[in-house]
Amino acid sequence: PASTGDLPLMARSLQPAHQMTSFTSFLALATSTAAVVTPLRSVSPLRPAPCAALRSSHPRMKDWSRRATLAEKAGGAGDLGASAVGLTGSIPVEFTQGNETLRTMATVGQPLSAVAAQAGQFIKYKCRKGECGTCAVRVDGQWIRTCSVTVPHLPDGEAYQVFVRPTMVKGKKSSRFFSVRSFFDGFKNNILGMVGFVKEGPLSRKGRENFNQRISAEQELLERAKARKAAREAAKAAGLSLEDYEERLRAELARGEAEATTKAARK
């Protein structure tokens, strides 16, 4: 194929039609022109390569893993100082959760939720209005709402200590459908289900005991319903209401027990 340097020569060869001797020479000229233009179009920088289009059709998934804070990347405020790692403020703040303590700096009036995010401390929120108490943390022995509290003024040398519940942890990230993790999670759930069926299912001893207790309770309820129905029919036959009939039965039962007690005492 011809190069770009041959284009002026090709243009000079495109002269008026009276210089062409025959139709055969015209076909030869058209063939050489197509041979020059086709390679130039294939290497045009405006046309993206097929592999680039293929890569753009499959976007990368965003990484949602926890990123290190600025203090952690720079080595920690305790080693290099707060200003060296980009932490500004005059009040030291400490977040303690179990055996782990995160330290940062804050200014007076700064929202505590922003300070927690700056330190990398996870706080669980829900309403973000200070009503539900999901984000409650303990400061000076009192429970406060992180979403509606600001950092107060403290004397020099004192730190604002925040104690976070050990149970306030991030939920386990759900696995994608048809991933390796989802396969193992499903296998684990199936195993736990089979173990639970064997231990507490209808064929186990505990399952049989629960079944017998349920049958006994149902039979007792059925007998009570039959006795109630018989009492209602007897009261109707005696011309009394059900309450009066039951009161008379209770009186007769008490009289019978008293007579039995008296006879036993005489003997």
Side-chain angles (χ1 to χ4, degrees), residues 176-198:
R176 294 182 300 170
F177 197 62
F178 288 134
S179 64
V180 177
R181 180 176 173 181
S182 65
F183 173 79
F184 284 105
D185 289 344
F187 182 76
K188 176 183 177 181
N189 292 334
N190 291 334
I191 294 297
L192 293 178
M194 288 187 289
V195 172
F197 181 81
V198 173

Side-chain angles (χ1 to χ4, degrees), residues 67-76:
R67 294 175 174 84
T69 61
L70 182 60
E72 294 171 346
K73 291 180 180 179

Side-chain angles (χ1 to χ4, degrees), residues 141-214:
Q142 298 180 355
W143 292 96
I144 61 175
R145 313 292 170 86
T146 307
C147 62
S148 59
V149 174
T150 58
V151 178
H153 174 74
L154 295 178
D156 295 339
E158 293 187 8
Y160 191 65
Q161 297 182 351
V162 181
F163 295 90
V164 185
R165 296 192 304 267
T167 56
M168 189 180 292
V169 294
K170 286 185 178 181
K172 190 176 181 181
K173 183 179 178 182
S174 59
S175 57
R176 294 182 300 170
F177 197 62
F178 288 134
S179 64
V180 177
R181 180 176 173 181
S182 65
F183 173 79
F184 284 105
D185 289 344
F187 182 76
K188 176 183 177 181
N189 292 334
N190 291 334
I191 294 297
L192 293 178
M194 288 187 289
V195 172
F197 181 81
V198 173
K199 292 179 61 177
E200 301 183 2
L203 300 180
S204 63
R205 184 178 64 179
K206 186 176 181 180
R208 289 194 297 269
E209 292 177 356
N210 294 336
F211 179 77
N212 294 333
Q213 291 178 0
R214 189 182 68 180

Side-chain angles (χ1 to χ4, degrees), residues 54-108:
L54 182 60
R55 288 194 300 267
S56 62
S57 61
H58 297 280
R60 296 179 59 186
M61 298 297 294
K62 186 175 180 179
D63 184 14
W64 292 99
S65 60
R66 179 185 180 277
R67 294 175 174 84
T69 61
L70 182 60
E72 294 171 346
K73 291 180 180 179
D79 300 331
L80 303 178
S83 58
V85 295
L87 301 178
T88 60
S90 58
I91 300 178
V93 181
E94 297 180 358
F95 292 91
T96 303
Q97 186 176 23
N99 297 327
E100 183 180 0
T101 300
L102 299 177
R103 296 177 175 85
T104 185
M105 300 295 293
T107 57
V108 178

Side-chain angles (χ1 to χ4, degrees), residues 233-253:
E233 292 178 354
K236 184 177 180 181
L240 300 174
S241 62
L242 182 59
E243 291 77 8
D244 295 340
Y245 182 77
E246 291 179 348
E247 185 66 27
R248 189 175 70 176
L249 288 179
R250 283 193 292 267
E252 291 178 356
L253 181 60

